[in-house]
Amino acid sequence: RCLLKMVKGNIIVPEDILSFCCNGLQGSTSPPRAREPGEREEAPGAMASPSASRNPTEVQMSQLVLPCHTNHRGELSTGQLLKWIDTAACLSAERHAGCPCVTASMDDIYFEHTISVGQVVNIKAKVNRAFNSSMEVGIQVSYEDLCSGKHCSICKAYATFVAQGPLGSKVRLEPLTPQTEEEKIEYSIAAERRRMRLVHKDTLKDLLTSSPQETELETRDGSGAVPAERTRVESVELVLPPHANHQGNTFGGQIMAWMENVATIAASRLCHAHPTLRAIEMFHFRGPSQVGDRLVLKAIVNNAFKNSMEVGVSAEAYGQEMSVSRRHINSAFMTFVVLDQEGHPRTLPMLAPEPGDGERRYREASARKKIRLDRKYVVSCKQTEVPLSVPWDQSNKVYLSYNNVSALKMLVAKANWVLAREKEKVRMYTLEEDKFLSFRIEMSVCIPASRAFSLLSNLRRRHEWDSHYVSAELVQKVDDDDMIYHVVSQKLRNENKPQDFVILASRRKPCSKGDPYVVAFRSVTLPTHPARAEFTRGETLCSGFCIWPESEEMTKVAYYNQAMPGYLTYVTTNVAGLSSDICSTFEACEKFLLKNKEDLISRLQD
């Protein structure tokens, strides 16, 4: 009868009865508050983080740094931090997959600060996007000083996990639906990061092949150089149950911690000091290891630069039978520095590489350093910190393409767009933020999305519908998805010379259902096309098309443009005329698409 008792028309649930009984025992005579229909039970800590807005895959971990976690300086061991990062990311992946997951790869990690004993490490991990059987997990790491209340970012990482079913079979994952603006941005860019991982190895090969002069051995006085052989380290670890998950697979974070340990020893042998790990380059796990395996860990300094050194480290596994060949589990490249008392990097001894493979590793380390700097410069920094026109070359072509597409996708995912003008089918929106004024113009056109994508991605045909374009010359075809054009446009108001641009055009087909076709544009610098006196060199930071199929025949076409600071004065003083001009240009674009659709139909009929 208590369970069915009604209070003000609401049923008291068992939790309320328990609360009422406890209050009664404590002398309280007031009845419990009945929950309104549809009201959810408030979990502990719900006021700090409302469950309604929290990503269901989000995992938060807080660890107090104890002396057993630190090195001789009282700083958190990077290996221990890697174990915590991998654990939090794996738990997030398993929340989405609903089954065991294993670490497949980890993107570059740059460690900004060290963490001292007594401080708290806060790790937040959540799934950004699920593909067929793999998913990307984003991890944010910060530390908290309990005495001062100071919070500071340590690193941001992206890990790829694979869901595993019975007997190691792959599991097809359910798609993830992003909710917030931040989640939509990460979801959209995850596909571009995945593409960049797949071509990571080819980037190094291309650089070594096309630019061997950049990676030649330095001219050095060999008398002060340390032979690389002296830095070589080999160690073995036995995989025990605490090192593995319930399926017996070794934790990826545990392998990374062991690898960091031998890499630190190798670095110490070069500098005869205690080095600090600054970065880990993107790496992939090539195969699993299980409880009972012996892991052989090898490390050697590949190259020593002025203030940093690269250490190559590998992990191989074998069972009890020595006769069985070793399995290659993982290889990684770690960058170390040696800090003085003021925290500044010290100058390092020179390295004398071994003949043959040692010289090859030496050259590859030099190439990786250039690629790493390009990647950090173009990919890791904020969009507003990237120069308008970045020099294009073999080492950074993948990352400029990534930055080009991801910048447009970030603009597309922004909220707070305001409708500024609507004329028949064409709608124009504006977005004001910081130093930028962005435009979005969209319309629906009766044309297949793939056909619209093909037409709008060819800048050589843009003059047919955009009166601002005079010509577009294809300068270089980087690959099937990226091309560089030299574009000449009409004279601007109060200008006596036409403008010209060197533009990287990056095209992407949908990665999965619901994704748009993307055509992104940004300025780059080419030595073959410097600024010329007869033109005013213009630059574009972010612009392009997103094309969504609405049906087999109907397509939504949207054009985005982020106006540069120098262009804002003209824009703000001529908003009415500008919007009319843009709408007219887009109407001409619709006619161009429809005309070429009909031409295609006629050719097919013929």
Side-chain angles (χ1 to χ4, degrees), residues 5 16 552 565 605:
K5 183 176 177 181
D16 288 329
E552 290 186 2
Q605 289 175 344

Side-chain angles (χ1 to χ4, degrees), residues 203-275:
T203 305
L204 178 64
K205 293 179 182 177
D206 291 345
L207 180 60
L208 290 170
T209 302
S210 61
S211 306
Q213 68 277 5
E214 296 183 9
T215 57
E216 291 297 323
L217 294 175
E218 296 178 30
T219 302
R220 60 176 72 237
D221 178 9
S223 60
V226 177
E229 182 62 27
R230 291 185 188 176
T231 69
R232 187 181 296 276
V233 180
E234 182 171 328
S235 181
V236 64
E237 298 283 353
L238 175 62
V239 180
L240 300 173
H243 304 142
N245 60 20
H246 59 282
Q247 287 191 322
N249 292 322
T250 314
F251 287 121
Q254 180 63 68
I255 297 176
M256 288 189 282
W258 284 332
M259 295 174 74
E260 186 268 341
N261 179 59
V262 295
T264 301
I265 296 172
S268 300
R269 288 180 176 176
L270 174 75
C271 60
H272 298 291
H274 296 286

Side-chain angles (χ1 to χ4, degrees), residues 13-200:
V13 297
E15 291 87 343
D16 288 329
I17 297 173
L18 179 61
S19 174
F20 178 79
C21 293
C22 293
N23 288 333
L25 290 172
Q26 295 171 0
S28 173
T29 58
S30 59
R33 183 186 69 85
R35 282 197 291 272
E36 295 297 329
E39 184 178 352
R40 305 178 71 177
E41 179 185 1
E42 185 175 90
M47 293 182 66
S49 179
S51 59
S53 60
R54 184 166 173 174
N55 188 312
T57 70
E58 183 178 306
V59 169
Q60 295 184 7
M61 175 186 290
S62 294
Q63 295 282 359
L64 180 64
V65 179
L66 302 175
C68 61
H69 301 141
T70 61
N71 56 25
H72 70 286
R73 294 191 299 267
E75 297 170 350
L76 175 64
S77 162
T78 309
Q80 180 62 60
L81 178 59
L82 291 170
K83 289 168 64 176
W84 287 340
I85 288 175
D86 182 67
T87 300
C90 184
L91 291 173
S92 174
E94 290 182 350
R95 274 194 176 184
H96 179 70
C99 62
C101 296
V102 294
T103 313
S105 68
M106 186 79 72
D107 288 5
D108 296 0
I109 306 178
Y110 299 96
F111 300 99
E112 300 176 21
H113 301 282
T114 56
I115 308 171
S116 302
V117 65
Q119 294 178 332
V120 175
V121 178
N122 294 314
I123 302 174
K124 183 169 72 172
K126 59 182 177 181
V127 177
N128 290 332
R129 182 162 183 166
F131 300 98
N132 290 330
S133 59
S134 66
M135 67 200 95
E136 180 192 273
V137 180
I139 309 112
Q140 293 180 333
V141 184
S142 63
Y143 80 78
E144 173 186 359
D145 191 300
L146 296 176
C147 297
S148 64
K150 178 183 177 182
H151 291 257
C152 192
S153 174
I154 298 299
C155 65
K156 186 174 183 179
Y158 296 99
T160 302
F161 283 81
V162 175
Q164 285 195 328
L167 303 176
S169 60
K170 291 186 177 181
V171 175
R172 187 171 184 84
L173 297 170
E174 292 292 328
L176 187 74
T177 304
Q179 300 297 328
T180 66
E181 178 181 328
E182 178 188 358
E183 289 175 0
K184 290 177 181 178
I185 291 174
E186 292 290 357
Y187 176 91
S188 182
I189 301 177
E192 197 61 22
R193 281 192 290 263
R194 181 172 182 251
R195 181 180 184 273
M196 188 170 62
R197 291 180 198 112
L198 296 176
V199 299
H200 175 64

Side-chain angles (χ1 to χ4, degrees), residues 223-352:
S223 60
V226 177
E229 182 62 27
R230 291 185 188 176
T231 69
R232 187 181 296 276
V233 180
E234 182 171 328
S235 181
V236 64
E237 298 283 353
L238 175 62
V239 180
L240 300 173
H243 304 142
N245 60 20
H246 59 282
Q247 287 191 322
N249 292 322
T250 314
F251 287 121
Q254 180 63 68
I255 297 176
M256 288 189 282
W258 284 332
M259 295 174 74
E260 186 268 341
N261 179 59
V262 295
T264 301
I265 296 172
S268 300
R269 288 180 176 176
L270 174 75
C271 60
H272 298 291
H274 296 286
T276 299
L277 181 61
R278 275 287 179 252
I280 302 177
E281 188 165 310
M282 181 188 304
F283 61 86
H284 300 262
F285 285 94
R286 302 187 181 185
S289 71
Q290 291 83 28
V291 171
D293 278 346
R294 281 72 170 165
L295 286 187
V296 179
L297 305 144
K298 299 178 181 180
I300 189 171
V301 177
N302 290 332
N303 200 335
F305 308 102
K306 182 179 179 181
N307 299 119
S308 65
M309 70 186 100
E310 181 194 277
V311 179
V313 56
S314 66
E316 298 176 335
Y318 68 92
Q320 294 181 355
E321 302 81 7
M322 287 294 294
S323 59
V324 179
S325 60
R326 295 178 179 179
R327 310 187 311 275
H328 188 184
I329 301 299
N330 192 9
S331 292
F333 301 98
M334 303 185 182
T335 302
F336 288 86
V337 297
V338 179
L339 304 177
D340 59 22
Q341 293 182 348
E342 284 74 33
H344 302 300
R346 282 170 36 185
T347 301
L348 299 176
M350 293 182 294
L351 185 80

